Amino acid sequence: MSPSGHSPMIPERYARSRSSRSAGDAVWRDNVTEDQDHPRDAVVVGFDGSEAASSAVEWAAAQAERTGGRLELVSAWEYPTSWGNVIPLPSDFDPAADAQAMLDPVVEGLATEHPGLRIHAHVVEGRAGEVLVEASRHAALLVVASRGHGSFSGLLLGSVSQHCVSHAACPVVVHRRPTAD
């Protein structure tokens, strides 16, 4: 760790904007100041670690760069739930840290590929669809993959993307990863 408490592998501009807290208005406003950013210039993209989400992130980064906006990567997490028997979890189980560890290399890669792009990343507790809809209230565009990890093979639209299309406060792009036929 550096003296500022951030990992030396993460660009300082990113480290300052990292947040991990429950979904809510403050998560999306913490990085927006009148002299630096405008609340409605963001391209928000959901990331769950899937190949489809990685492709959506690449598209969203290019779009943010084209429009001069900032890129907001959002990774949502929640504790596993069960009905009946309690699911045994290891004592060091930390889904927020796992989500952050999944997101960090993506941000590092984007910072290298798009050096002028303002990138903010959020790891937020909550259901993915609800977290992304909340983020859409402060965005010019919301980008989601057509299907992520929780999808059934053959479905064209996953439950998270369908929720976002139905409830988002801004335009939504449902990015479908190109397939090699």
Side-chain angles (χ1 to χ4, degrees):
M1 290 294 216
S2 71
S4 66
H6 300 298
S7 168
M9 297 297 294
I10 299 172
E12 193 64 29
R13 68 186 172 126
Y14 165 65
R16 284 190 309 261
S17 69
R18 292 184 353 172
S19 60
S20 177
R21 57 191 104 162
S22 296
D25 193 53
V27 170
W28 315 113
R29 303 297 260 171
D30 65 345
N31 298 311
V32 179
T33 59
E34 288 304 315
D35 61 341
Q36 181 182 20
D37 295 321
H38 299 288
R40 292 289 186 164
D41 72 346
V43 175
V44 173
V45 60
F47 184 71
D48 66 359
S50 67
E51 288 183 32
S54 294
S55 183
V57 166
E58 291 171 18
W59 188 91
Q63 180 65 17
E65 202 165 48
R66 278 190 292 272
T67 61
R70 68 181 192 280
L71 182 66
E72 299 276 347
L73 280 94
V74 178
S75 185
W77 65 272
E78 57 186 333
Y79 283 102
T81 58
S82 70
W83 289 267
N85 295 337
V86 175
I87 299 173
L89 298 172
S91 61
D92 63 345
F93 180 68
D94 186 352
D98 292 343
Q100 190 68 59
M102 175 185 65
L103 198 56
D104 286 345
V106 174
V107 172
E108 292 171 15
L110 287 170
T112 301
E113 292 173 30
H114 306 274
L117 184 61
R118 294 170 293 158
I119 303 169
H120 298 173
H122 305 276
V123 173
V124 183
E125 180 180 7
R127 298 183 93 91
E130 294 168 8
V131 168
L132 291 169
V133 165
E134 176 62 28
S136 76
R137 294 180 50 224
H138 309 285
L141 183 67
L142 173 62
V143 180
V144 292
S146 60
R147 294 183 299 144
H149 278 306
S151 62
F152 291 98
S153 180
L155 290 179
L156 295 178
L157 195 63
S159 60
V160 172
S161 53
Q162 187 170 18
H163 181 82
C164 290
V165 166
S166 299
H167 301 286
C170 69
V172 179
V173 169
V174 179
H175 183 268
R176 186 162 184 203
R177 187 171 55 125
T179 57
D181 291 323

